[in-house]
Amino acid sequence: MKNTIIVLFILTLFMSCGGTKRIIENTPKTAEVAVSTTPKQPEQPKQPALPEKPNSVEKIEPTHTEPIQQTTTKVIEANVENSIKTTKEAFNHDAWNTLLQEYVSNKGNVNYNGLKSKRKAITNYISSLGDNMPSNSWAKADKIAYWINAYNAMTVDLILRNLPIESIKDIKDPWKQRLWKLGSKWYNLDEIEHQILRKMDEPRIHFGIVCASFSCPKLVNEAFTASNLETQLTEATRGFLSDPKRNNLSTNSIKLSKIFKWFAKDFKTEGSLIDFLNKYSDISISNTAKKSYKDYNWSLNN
């Protein structure tokens, strides 16, 4: 009987513990319920983002690039054009130009008697040449213009020193007289022509320098200048070739000035003599054209 009571007590105790466990398991978790049931706070409205400050070193490209490029190109072209216009000659030949325009006709006839009264102006011009010799910094065109003008002014001065004469050949050794000082050296006409001008590889100089004779190319009544040199040499060459008193040209026959005989190699640097003639003549000359030379008239070109 006593054992039965003990067993019942134990069973009763066990059942009460299990119920307690179930009660504990089924009890809601108050902390979690509190968190989950707590109402959410309303979200604060987002402030609009401020624009970023541009980097000071970042290049901002213009919206309209084409008009700017066009404007820039025009400015550059204008600057180049202005620089060309304002480029100065290495030497100013205005004094010689004034004398030529006053005392030389369009046909190249020289009024030596009139120039005789202006000889001081000629010698002053030659002296100015001597005070301003070409340097390595000069352009080739400046050098050629300088030496052509020097040669022609000295030739005129030579004639004035010996008037009255009928020909430059009336003067003894006219091309070998060292009468003009340029810098520290005395020059003659031969040296300027053969040692300076002919070595510049420009065959057209033969139609720019003048030997004061009728059969020579005419003395142009303007000074040669670097800026106009190409035009001046081309016109002088064309004028000489088209003058029937100096040359007679046709397709199958040419009668030339002896200049083309005396200085033949100068006209063959870029082809044959016929190639040179065809470049500056309006007549197309055949390579098989018969060639002869005119007598040279050394009468004074007055």
Side-chain angles (χ1 to χ4, degrees):
M1 183 65 177
K2 184 178 178 178
N3 291 338
T4 303
I5 294 171
I6 292 171
V7 170
L8 290 173
F9 177 78
I10 292 171
L11 290 173
T12 302
L13 181 61
F14 177 78
M15 290 178 64
S16 65
C17 290
T20 303
K21 180 180 180 181
R22 284 195 297 272
I23 291 171
I24 293 172
E25 288 177 351
N26 293 331
T27 301
K29 299 179 180 179
T30 57
E32 292 180 0
V33 171
V35 172
S36 61
T37 57
T38 301
K40 295 182 178 180
Q41 295 296 325
E43 295 183 0
Q44 295 296 325
K46 293 183 178 181
Q47 296 294 328
L50 295 175
E52 294 183 3
K53 184 178 180 180
N55 193 329
S56 60
V57 297
E58 182 180 354
K59 182 180 178 181
I60 301 175
E61 297 293 337
T63 304
H64 304 289
T65 57
E66 186 173 352
I68 293 177
Q69 291 174 352
Q70 291 176 351
T71 302
T72 302
T73 300
K74 290 179 180 179
V75 170
I76 292 174
E77 289 176 349
N79 289 339
V80 171
E81 184 177 357
N82 288 336
S83 68
I84 292 173
K85 288 180 179 179
T86 57
T87 299
K88 293 182 179 180
E89 302 275 336
F91 185 85
N92 188 327
H93 298 281
D94 285 351
W96 179 233
N97 188 74
T98 299
L99 292 168
L100 290 171
Q101 291 192 337
E102 186 172 355
Y103 295 100
V104 180
S105 72
N106 291 332
K107 293 182 178 180
N109 301 116
V110 183
N111 179 1
Y112 288 107
N113 290 325
L115 274 171
K116 192 171 183 178
S117 65
K118 297 290 186 178
R119 184 155 181 264
K120 183 62 176 178
I122 295 175
T123 57
N124 285 342
Y125 170 69
I126 295 173
S127 293
S128 69
L129 291 171
D131 293 336
N132 298 274
M133 295 285 288
S135 66
N136 292 333
S137 64
W138 284 30
K140 181 179 179 180
D142 280 299
K143 293 177 182 178
I144 292 176
Y146 175 98
W147 288 111
I148 289 178
N149 290 330
Y151 185 98
N152 290 342
M154 292 174 184
T155 300
V156 169
D157 184 59
L158 178 66
I159 299 300
L160 297 179
R161 287 169 181 258
N162 292 276
L163 286 177
I165 54 174
E166 295 182 358
S167 168
I168 192 172
K169 283 201 166 185
D170 293 340
I171 304 169
K172 183 181 179 180
D173 297 326
W175 296 284
K176 297 187 181 298
Q177 295 189 33
R178 295 187 180 275
L179 302 172
W180 306 277
K181 188 178 182 181
L182 302 179
S184 60
K185 182 177 178 179
W186 291 87
Y187 285 83
N188 61 27
L189 296 173
D190 261 359
E191 184 170 2
I192 294 174
E193 179 178 10
H194 302 298
Q195 301 303 316
I196 299 175
L197 282 169
R198 289 183 65 197
K199 290 186 176 181
M200 290 187 178
D201 298 321
E202 176 49 83
R204 293 175 298 173
I205 59 99
H206 291 294
F207 313 111
I209 57 176
V210 180
C211 62
S213 302
F214 180 80
S215 288
C216 287
K218 73 176 185 178
L219 180 60
V220 180
N221 61 352
E222 65 177 10
F224 283 85
T225 60
S227 57
N228 294 323
L229 186 65
E230 178 62 29
T231 298
Q232 290 173 314
L233 288 178
T234 296
E235 290 180 351
T237 304
R238 288 185 175 279
F240 185 70
L241 288 175
S242 63
D243 186 347
K245 295 178 181 178
R246 275 90 174 174
N247 298 276
N248 298 116
L249 307 179
S250 66
T251 300
N252 298 311
S253 177
I254 53 176
K255 197 169 185 179
L256 301 174
S257 163
K258 284 187 178 177
I259 288 175
F260 293 105
K261 181 179 182 179
W262 297 330
F263 308 107
K265 68 177 183 179
D266 293 3
F267 302 104
K268 298 176 182 178
T269 57
E270 296 181 359
S272 67
L273 172 60
I274 298 299
D275 291 333
F276 178 87
L277 296 175
N278 279 332
K279 186 175 181 179
Y280 297 101
S281 172
D282 294 331
I283 298 171
S284 179
I285 304 169
S286 169
N287 288 325
T288 59
K290 294 181 179 180
K291 181 174 61 178
S292 61
Y293 296 98
K294 285 178 168 285
D295 291 333
Y296 211 82
N297 185 346
W298 290 100
S299 299
L300 205 62
N301 59 341
N302 52 10

